[in-house]
Amino acid sequence: MRKQIALILAVAVMLCMPVRAAAESTTITTVVPEPAYQLTIPADIQMEYRAGSCTIGVPSIAQSSGFGEKAYLTVAVSHSGAFSSQTTSTTIPFAFYAKTDSGLCEWASGDRLIYSRMDDGSVTPSGHMADGRTPLAFELQISDSAWETANPGTYTAAVTFTAQLAFSE
């Protein structure tokens, strides 16, 4: 009998406890479309042996659209600062510059071009530097002394263009 009373009391206590409601949720998703653009980068080039410099074009933007009011595009221009050889362990150092209307200015690896948003939601076809100048081309320069110490072989250098969406505050 005690067991029956204990069982009845346990059931009574359980019935007095508040019942928790099952929580359900709804997930809401949305997609913010990415702006569209076509980035054209300079073509591969061949530098002549003992040339003091070679010119590389600048990237341009075409068919851009969908940039929000505070959105714009940046393109980082990165380089190693040296030609390297697959067959020897030597390098040929170079200096990298941006050519502008006011002359050459040094270009550090990773410096960015800014493509500003226009009223129609596109961006400017030509990028400008942080100081507002627009590069007409890039120039790679190698000193005579660097050529004189270079071992025979084929050397390569890569210039990497990395586009990234950015936002003004």
Side-chain angles (χ1 to χ4, degrees), residues 24-32:
E24 295 291 328
S25 64
T26 298
T27 301
I28 302 168
T29 59
T30 186
V31 175
V32 176

Side-chain angles (χ1 to χ4, degrees), residues 38-40 57-62 64 72-77 98-101 105 107 111-118 123-138 161 163:
Q38 178 182 333
L39 173 65
T40 302
V58 293
S60 62
I61 303 293
S64 62
Y72 60 97
L73 192 69
T74 65
V75 176
V77 182
K99 283 184 176 182
T100 67
D101 285 335
C105 63
W107 189 274
D111 281 353
R112 296 179 182 277
L113 290 171
I114 300 165
Y115 296 80
S116 301
R117 182 187 183 277
M118 298 193 304
V123 293
T124 55
S126 300
H128 60 84
M129 300 182 310
D131 64 7
R133 292 183 290 170
T134 301
L136 306 172
F138 291 111
F161 303 91

Side-chain angles (χ1 to χ4, degrees), residues 13 23 31 48 55 60 69 71 74 83-85 96 101 106 123 132 151 156 160 163-164:
V13 168
V31 175
E48 295 297 320
T55 300
S60 62
E69 281 189 38
T74 65
F83 281 90
S84 60
S85 171
F96 200 82
D101 285 335
E106 193 169 342
V123 293
N151 289 333
T156 59
T160 304
Q164 183 174 351

Side-chain angles (χ1 to χ4, degrees), residues 46-62:
Q46 178 82 26
M47 185 169 185
E48 295 297 320
Y49 172 63
R50 290 226 178 245
S53 66
C54 71
T55 300
I56 303 166
V58 293
S60 62
I61 303 293

